[in-house]
Structures are given as structure tokens and as C-alpha cells.
């Protein structure tokens, strides 16, 4: 399953050097961080609304949009999906309370 994340990350990375009018993602990169963050906020809200409605198909659709735009953010920040997967792996087997305690006062 992580193969699709790797493939998508490669495409998103390539779009960073593309002309803004050549693709949606290139245009989003050209608009900057605030535009990317706004899209993530919109997609998060749409995911919440889909969940409230209980429409499983729409939940999957909106979550895919949210993940996609989060991947755009990661690429824009010079990060890769593996960075997040490694963090999830690090946390695996820890209770949420233990993980939070290990962070201390870090954001």
C-alpha cells in the first residue's frame, strides 16, 4: 500500500518544478503555504461533515482528498510520506497517553 504513497510523492515532487498553469498541484505550490493549508482545512472540514452524515463512500472520498493535500504539504516542506510512516511506526505499541507523555510540552 505504501507503494502508491511513494509514487504519489514522486509526482508531487516533480510538480514543484512545473509551470503553475501546467497542473493543479503546480498551481497550488505557486500560491504558497497558506493556499496549501487552506485546502487542508477545507478537506478536513469536508471529511468531518461526511463522517457526520455517515456516508462511507463520501468519507473515503473526502479522506483521500485530505490525505492528498497533506502529501502536497509534506512535499512543499521537503518531507516524504516515509517520514510520517516512521513516526507512526515509532508510536506503534504505545498507548496514546504514553506517547503524549513522552512528548512532554512539545507541540
Amino acid at each position: 500500500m505504501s507503494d502508491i504513497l511513494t509514487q504519489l510523492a514522486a509526482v508531487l515532487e516533480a510538480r514543484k518544478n512545473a509551470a503553475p498553469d501546467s497542473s493543479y498541484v503546480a498551481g497550488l505550490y505557486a500560491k504558497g503555504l497558506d493556499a496549501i493549508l487552506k485546502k487542508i482545512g477545507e478537506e478536513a472540514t469536508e471529511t468531518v461533515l461526511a463522517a457526520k452524515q455517515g456516508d462511507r463512500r463520501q468519507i473515503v472520498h473526502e479522506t483521500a482528498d485530505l490525505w492528498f493535500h497533506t502529501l502536497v504539504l509534506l512535499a512543499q516542506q521537503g518531507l516524504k510520506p516515509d517520514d510520517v510512516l516512521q513516526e507512526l511506526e515509532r508510536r506503534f505499541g504505545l498507548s496514546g497517553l504514553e506517547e503524549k507523555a513522552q512528548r512532554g510540552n512539545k507541540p
Side-chain angles (χ1 to χ4, degrees), residues 43 82 94 102 105:
E43 299 304 342
D82 277 347
L94 290 177
Q102 286 180 1
N105 291 328

Side-chain angles (χ1 to χ4, degrees), residues 50-60:
K52 291 289 282 179
Q53 293 170 355
D55 183 338
R56 294 169 55 91
R57 183 178 295 181
Q58 197 62 24
I59 293 167
V60 169

Side-chain angles (χ1 to χ4, degrees), residues 76-95:
Q76 192 265 350
Q77 295 289 308
L79 297 165
K80 300 197 176 326
D82 277 347
D83 296 314
V84 176
L85 294 174
Q86 287 173 8
E87 177 62 12
L88 289 172
E89 186 174 5
R90 183 191 70 77
R91 294 180 187 186
F92 190 77
L94 290 177
S95 78

Side-chain angles (χ1 to χ4, degrees), residues 1-2 4-5 8-9 12 24-25 28-29 36 39-47 59-75 80-81 84-85 88:
M1 193 54 75
S2 67
I4 189 63
L5 291 177
L8 185 52
L12 294 175
Y24 168 75
V25 172
L28 199 52
Y29 285 140
I36 295 168
K39 280 305 295 180
I40 291 172
E42 290 170 5
E43 299 304 342
T45 299
E46 290 171 4
T47 302
I59 293 167
V60 169
H61 177 85
E62 296 301 345
T63 300
D65 286 348
L66 177 58
W67 286 14
F68 176 82
H69 287 90
T70 301
L71 290 169
V72 171
L73 171 67
L74 290 174
K80 300 197 176 326
V84 176
L85 294 174
L88 289 172

Side-chain angles (χ1 to χ4, degrees), residues 94-102:
L94 290 177
S95 78
L97 295 175
E98 288 175 307
E99 193 280 326
K100 190 172 183 176
Q102 286 180 1

